[in-house]
Structures are given as C-alpha cells and as structure tokens.
Amino acid sequence: MLILTVASYLICLVSLLGLSAAEAEYQFFYSRPELYPPVLQVDILKEGATPGYVFVAPHHIERSGAAIYDNHGNLVWTSLSSMGGGNMHSFRVCQYKGADHLCFFRGDQWSTFYAGEVLIYSNELVPVATIKAQNGRPAIDMHENSLVDDGRAMIVNIYQSERYDLSDYGISDGEGWVRNGLFQKIDVATGELLFEWSALDHIPPSESYVALGSTEGVTAGEGFDAGGAWDYLHLNAVDQNADGDYLLSCRHTQALYKVSGQDGRILWRLGGKRSDFELGDGVAFGYQHDARWRFSNASTDIITLFDNASDSFHDTALRSAGKIIRLDHDSTPPRATLLAAFEGPDGMPHAVTQGSVQVLGEHAADANVTQSNVFIGWGQQPYVTEHLPSGEIVFQARLPAAGANVYRAYRFNFTAHPLDSPALYTYALDTDAAATMFYMSWNGATELAQWRVYGRQNCTADWTDLGTVDKEGFESVFEAPGYWAYGMVEALDQAARPLGRSATNGIRTFVPSPALAQSCGRIGCRMTRLRGAATAPSPGEGQGQDQDQLRGGCPFTRDDKTLKAGLSVETSDVDPRLGTFARGGLLLFAGLLVCLVLTVVACYYYDGHVPRLLTSTSTSTSTSHALVPQSDPELEPMVEWPENQASRSHTRLHVV
Ligand SMILES: *[C@@H]1O[C@H](CO)[C@@H](O)[C@H](O)[C@H]1NC(C)=O
Ligand SMILES: *[C@@H]1O[C@H](CO)[C@@H](O)[C@H](O)[C@H]1NC(C)=O
Ligand SMILES: *[C@@H]1O[C@H](CO)[C@@H](O)[C@H](O)[C@H]1NC(C)=O
Ligand SMILES: *[C@@H]1O[C@H](CO)[C@@H](O)[C@H](O)[C@H]1NC(C)=O
Ligand SMILES: CC(=O)N[C@H]1CO[C@H](CO)[C@@H](O)[C@@H]1O
C-alpha cells in the first residue's frame, strides 16, 4: 500500500515536471468556458516599455480572432465572445468621429489574398460602420485598411484577377491572367468612392521579382486562369501623407512607390528594379511590409517598413528587421539612408511573411522619430516586441498556439465600456458546504477594478453583500463562506462606482449530486475527459428520470435602474480578509486536485492506455497560408474542441 502511494506521488511529480515543460496554448475560464482564447506568453517586460495594451489578431489557429492583452499577458478582450472568431487582421485602435474606435478587416482567405470587409467598433464593443469595396470591384483584401482625413475616409486594398496578354511570358495559346493590385479611398459615412488606383495602369509585370509559375514569395500563380492569376505585384500597404499622396509597398516588386493623389502617376520608386534612389548601407530590403510615412518636408521623407529579409544589412545572419529610412530628395542622386534597424528576438527564425512596425510616443511623427520606442509584430513568427531607440528589447511576447500568425500587431491605450454584462459561475460541493466559489469576468471592461459579490438563498430573499475582491487577470475568484443558492456580482471601477452586474435574477449555484460529488472538490469538479472516460455511456430508455432535477433558476426580472446607486442588501459578517486566505487554500487544493487527476491518468497509462495528457502536446494545425478558404472556428461543432482541450489539458493547470 505504502509502495503504491509513494509510486503514485512519484508519477505525479514526474508528470508535473513534464507538463510544466509543455506550454499552454489556450486558456480556460470557468465563467466563460466558450471563449477558450489563445495564451499570450510574455517573456520580457522591462523598465522603458510603454504603458498600453497589446492588440493582435492571431490567425491560422483553432481559435482565430481579435484580442487585447495587457503587458502581463492577461486577456482584456476577445472577439470570440461577441463577434466570434475567424480571420481578422490589422486589429487596432483608430480615430473615428473624434473618438477611439476599433478597426479591423474580417474575411476569408483565398490563395494569398482575402475577400471581406472592414469593420469599425465603438468603445461599447459594438459595430458602428462597415466598409465595402466600391466601383464593381471584388471584395476588400486584408492587406491594408487605414482611416485617413480625420477618420472620414478609409483606404482599403483589393486584389483583382484580370486578363492580361502574357505572350511575352510564354502564354500565347490562350488568355493570360494577372492579379492586379488596387486601392480605394472610400467615404466611411456614405460609401462614396473618393479615389481609386490600379497598378496595371502604372507598374508593368516586368518589374516583378516573382517569376510567373515560380514559388518565390510564397506563390506566384501559373497565369492560366483567374484563380491562378500571376500575383506579380502583391500590394500590401498603402499610406497617405498630408498632401494627399500615397506610399505603396509591393512585396513582389520589392519596391515602395509614391503615387500622386492628383492623377495617380508614380512620383518615385524606392528599391526594386527601377529605384530612383541610391541606397545607403543597410537600406536594401526585400518582400517588405507595412511601409509608412513618419515625417515629410520639402526635401526629406522619413519612412518605416518591416523588411522580412535584408541581403546586405547583416553580414553573418540574415534576419528580418523593422527599419527607419530617410530619403533625401535634394541630393544628387536622391539618397536613401538607414537611420535605424530593429532585429527580432535571438533565435527567432526569419519572418518570411507579414509583419508590422509601429512608432510610439511624442516623436512618432516628427523629424526626431529615431528617438522613439518601436513596436514590431513579427508576422509569420507569432512574436511582438517593443524596442528602445537603441534597439534593446524591453517587451517581448508570443502566442504559443500551434500555427499562430499575426499579420500586424500594435500597442495602444484603450478604454471600453462593453454593452454586455459580467459573467458569473458559482459552485458549491454540497448545500452544507463550507464555501461557495464565485468565478467572474467581464470581457473588455477596461475600467473594472473590483467585484462586489452577492448571495441569496431563494428567489425572493434580499441579496446579501458577501464582500469585495480585486479584479485579478481576466477572471477573478471569490470564496464565500457557507452555501449560497444564488449568486450575483457587481463590477466596480477604481472609485468603487458600479459599472454593471451579472444576471440580476441570480446565477443558480452548481451543486453536484452525491454520485457526481465523488469527482468534485471544494473549488469545482474534475473534467470528465481528463480522466480518460471518453466513451459516453448509453442510458436505457427512461433511465435517470427518477433522479433528474431541474436547475431551478429564478425568473428573469428587469434590472431596476433605481438600484444602480446601491443594492438593497443585508450585510453579512464575513471577514473580508477571508478572501485572501481562501485564495491561498484554493491554490493548495488546486495543486492537490491536479496531483490526484494526474495520478488517475498515470494509472491509465500503466494500463496500456496512453492518454493524450502524457503524449506530445504540440497538436499541429495548418501552419502556412492554405490554398483553401479557412474555416471559421466558431462554426466548427462545439463538441470538437473539448476533445482538443483534453489533448491540451495542461492549459487547465494554467488557470488554477
Ligand atoms: C526637412 O527636415 C530635415 C530633417 O529635420 C532637415 O534636415 C531639412 O533641413 C528640412 N528641409 C526643409 C526644406 O525644411
Ligand atoms: C529634435 O531634437 C533636436 C535635438 O535634440 C531638438 O533641437 C529639436 O527641437 C527636436 N525637434 C522636434 C520636432 O522635437
Ligand atoms: C498610454 O498612456 C500612457 C499614460 O498617458 C502614456 O504614457 C503611453 O505612452 C500611452 N501608450 C500608448 C501606446 O500610446
Ligand atoms: C427565503 O429566504 C429568506 C431569507 O433567507 C427567508 O426568510 C424566507 O423564508 C425564504 N423564503 C422561502 C420561500 O423559502
Ligand atoms: C531571410 C529570409 O527569410 N528571406 C526570405 C524573405 O521572403 C522571401 C519570400 O518569401 C524568401 O524567399 C526569403 O528566403
């Protein structure tokens, strides 16, 4: 017996060691089990990092969507709640109607481009504007969307397959096809098209470095049909300056172009086969992204771009980099000079596709831009970094979810007042229980600082104030002494002003039956799949009817607004310090519960059933741009992912 016990504890220890090596990819919340968002792992946070949230929209993962995290990796908001998931890109704060809004692209992927629309959300986290392509063009592509003209107009890009005479390139027994790059400037309020530009009118296919039918630059296309049109240009960024001219980045010609806002003429080319500039040391770039104007006067432009690879910047190691480049138009010939280059984390592979460069702080748009911190998204490598002007990394985080890509990443401050309400889950082991557990969260509520917790024994009783607990991460936990049949929580801001409440009829506390209780502890019940009991029993006809019990929730009543200033409550004599004390106990108990579960799993292992828990946790999903539309994870049958949860059951450890 003793040997068995010792053995099981040893197994437990070994399992724990193995598990701590495996990284959590997704996180589980008791109050919002349907969210299951990806983890943002923060590896470096040093003095000098700019306050503000991290905005990312990871894609090519099981739970793609837009998300906001804080500097410690705590989830602040995920789209998986209100608008679902799917492919979203360039998720960021934008200035619309003079106030902070959220802007992002949403759509489906086809080959190397997308078809979708651009959405603007208010700080109540609801949609207020949708931008669609105009002028009979195909749907908007994901590569660019930016608000200009004080938020009145949006620049978007479009990929359009067009017939093109490719006989010079070897296609003469039928029509040839080229993928054109267009951009439009659209009035947000009216949808009116203000400006349109089409690359095939100005940039010939001969400027391309990505030969027809080759696989350079991901995929070039064969040129035989509309679907396989030659992606000779790959327009991936459009920026507008104060004069109303445009800066374009074209990945497959490896060049930037200045385009006249008057007549669409190309005013100059930087890089590529026909550069108008002499390139100084380290300027040369290739397959670049996110080109932006930072400062301009009559003689000078300062621009930033994300260079996936520089052939000349570094002699020993070819690495992706964010670059700040100065263009001197008055020198002869015009000159491009590298002012700064920011390299990614040590050991990070090249970011072959995607990527972004954001300049932070007061010098972001003046001639002293090189005195600024720079925030970089590493595209195909799911890293984000913030650099001091010296290049030193003061913030570094990554998304461990298998397959994660982030097209563009940003840092912003943002204040949101979500239109929805806080979520709550309450649990007690039995109705004589020593404690009732409260798990609460409010997706996107940036002003939330504290929770006030209420309980009652029946639907007509007054709510009893059980105490308050500080917000901790996305989901907070409160352990109330005694059994409470119904729970409710109220969100409070820094000044203890009420912001909103969970369901005002109360959440019925989950109490396991005596049979189920054997698999439960003080803080909750064991996850069935963790035990390996994967085959569902088939109950006979009518079985269970005698034991069935309805949950018995209180009828919904509309929230009485007059109560907003304060609830009519009884006060309990609960010692508020119990909360902290209880959390310590909670951790200890969680550890023991985990050990117990692991022991059980280990027993299965020795039985010859190799449970997923002990096998590799890197369940890989598609990692590169697929050639088919990406399915929307939100439409996958929900029964699918708890299974995946089991294969990543270590994520459960993350939350307790
Ligand atoms: C433009 O700005 C640069 C950088 O500050 C400065 O050196 C140059 O003199 C300015 N040129 C004009 C024409 O103002
Ligand atoms: C840029 O920095 C220089 C030297 O520190 C300073 O004299 C100048 O005023 C700064 N310009 C701006 C626009 O901040
Ligand atoms: C966020 O606000 C703080 C305080 O005002 C400021 O120091 C910081 O630069 C802001 N962060 C960003 C990304 O703008
Ligand atoms: C509801 O609870 C209150 C306070 O605990 C109690 O006084 C009252 O009798 C209960 N009502 C019913 C119908 O059980
Ligand atoms: C160093 C590096 O990663 N270079 C890559 C940049 O992107 C092009 C196109 O995908 C690749 O061919 C390079 O190898």
Side-chain angles (χ1 to χ4, degrees), residues 181-183 195-199 202-203 235 248 259 264-266:
L182 301 101
F183 71 87
F195 186 83
E196 184 181 75
W197 187 87
S198 156
H202 304 277
I203 305 175
L235 173 61
L248 271 54
V259 166
R265 178 164 69 89
I266 290 176

Side-chain angles (χ1 to χ4, degrees), residues 295 297-300 367:
F295 168 80
N297 63 18
S299 62
T300 311

Side-chain angles (χ1 to χ4, degrees), residues 457-462 570:
Q457 299 303 357
N458 60 51
C459 293
T460 53
D462 280 344
E570 297 164 0

Side-chain angles (χ1 to χ4, degrees), residues 269-324:
R269 289 167 166 82
L270 173 67
K273 295 182 181 174
R274 297 170 58 186
S275 181
D276 293 308
F277 296 86
E278 191 179 83
L279 306 187
D281 280 351
V283 170
F285 51 84
Y287 303 103
Q288 75 289 340
H289 284 82
D290 200 24
R292 303 277 145 196
W293 263 308
R294 300 300 174 183
F295 168 80
S296 295
N297 63 18
S299 62
T300 311
D301 284 304
I302 300 179
I303 60 169
T304 59
L305 58 83
F306 181 88
D307 181 14
N308 93 297
S310 158
D311 290 337
S312 58
F313 170 68
H314 212 279
D315 288 346
T316 49
L318 284 178
R319 296 182 49 181
S320 309
K323 291 184 173 177
I324 304 180

Side-chain angles (χ1 to χ4, degrees), residues 364-405:
D366 67 38
N368 290 336
V369 60
T370 53
Q371 294 170 17
S372 308
N373 280 18
V374 168
F375 192 80
I376 299 182
W378 295 93
Q380 192 170 344
Q381 304 302 332
Y383 287 80
V384 297
T385 51
E386 182 178 342
H387 303 251
L388 297 179
S390 66
E392 186 193 346
I393 294 178
V394 285
F395 178 80
Q396 180 182 316
R398 75 207 137 84
L399 289 134
N405 285 229

Side-chain angles (χ1 to χ4, degrees), residues 322-631:
K323 291 184 173 177
I324 304 180
I325 295 168
R326 191 181 68 223
L327 307 178
D328 298 309
H329 302 287
D330 285 352
S331 61
T332 358
R335 244 192 108 66
T337 309
L338 182 70
L339 297 183
F342 302 89
E343 292 195 342
D346 283 337
M348 185 190 77
H350 298 124
V352 175
T353 68
Q354 310 161 84
S356 58
V357 178
Q358 181 189 11
V359 181
L360 302 172
E362 53 180 345
H363 294 298
D366 67 38
N368 290 336
V369 60
T370 53
Q371 294 170 17
S372 308
N373 280 18
V374 168
F375 192 80
I376 299 182
W378 295 93
Q380 192 170 344
Q381 304 302 332
Y383 287 80
V384 297
T385 51
E386 182 178 342
H387 303 251
L388 297 179
S390 66
E392 186 193 346
I393 294 178
V394 285
F395 178 80
Q396 180 182 316
R398 75 207 137 84
L399 289 134
N405 285 229
V406 178
Y407 176 62
R408 286 177 182 170
Y410 299 95
R411 183 188 280 306
F412 285 107
N413 290 312
F414 189 60
T415 302
H417 302 279
L419 205 60
D420 68 0
S421 308
L424 172 67
Y425 168 68
T426 57
Y427 166 87
L429 184 54
D430 57 56
T431 54
D432 302 320
T436 304
M437 303 300 303
F438 288 72
Y439 299 92
M440 50 271 179
S441 61
W442 195 0
N443 192 28
T446 57
E447 302 312 282
L448 167 63
Q450 257 194 344
W451 292 102
R452 188 177 297 286
V453 179
Y454 298 94
R456 66 179 177 185
Q457 299 303 357
N458 60 51
C459 293
T460 53
D462 280 344
W463 288 106
T464 299
D465 180 348
L466 302 176
T468 59
V469 61
D470 285 347
K471 179 203 168 202
E472 241 183 82
F474 184 81
E475 182 171 72
S476 304
V477 185
F478 183 87
E479 183 171 357
Y483 170 71
W484 295 94
Y486 298 92
M488 181 177 71
V489 287
E490 185 169 46
L492 308 174
D493 70 8
Q494 287 288 359
R497 283 181 300 246
L499 298 169
R501 290 185 207 147
S502 63
T504 48
N505 46 331
I507 299 294
R508 183 74 161 110
T509 298
F510 183 84
V511 179
S513 67
L516 176 59
Q518 293 165 18
S519 305
C520 303
R522 205 182 60 191
I523 63 160
C525 294
R526 197 178 292 166
M527 303 284 166
T528 305
R529 285 193 188 274
L530 262 185
R531 290 181 58 207
T535 47
S538 46
E541 192 75 24
Q543 192 183 327
Q545 276 174 4
D546 293 344
Q547 295 81 31
D548 267 357
Q549 284 180 12
L550 296 175
R551 187 168 47 229
C554 299
F556 172 76
T557 47
R558 291 179 64 188
D559 196 2
D560 184 350
K561 299 290 179 200
T562 60
L563 286 183
K564 277 282 183 214
L567 290 161
S568 103
V569 289
E570 297 164 0
T571 43
S572 82
D573 49 4
V574 175
D575 182 343
R577 279 167 305 177
L578 263 178
T580 325
F581 177 74
R583 272 198 300 280
L586 191 69
L587 274 176
L588 183 66
F589 182 80
L592 288 175
L593 184 66
V594 164
C595 267
L596 181 70
V597 171
L598 287 172
T599 307
V600 170
V601 171
C603 288
Y604 270 83
Y605 182 83
Y606 279 89
D607 239 343
H609 304 276
V610 181
R612 269 176 288 243
L613 187 65
L614 296 178
T615 59
S616 165
T617 49
S618 56
T619 318
S620 181
T621 57
S622 71
T623 51
S624 62
H625 285 86
L627 294 172
V628 292
Q630 297 299 298
S631 61

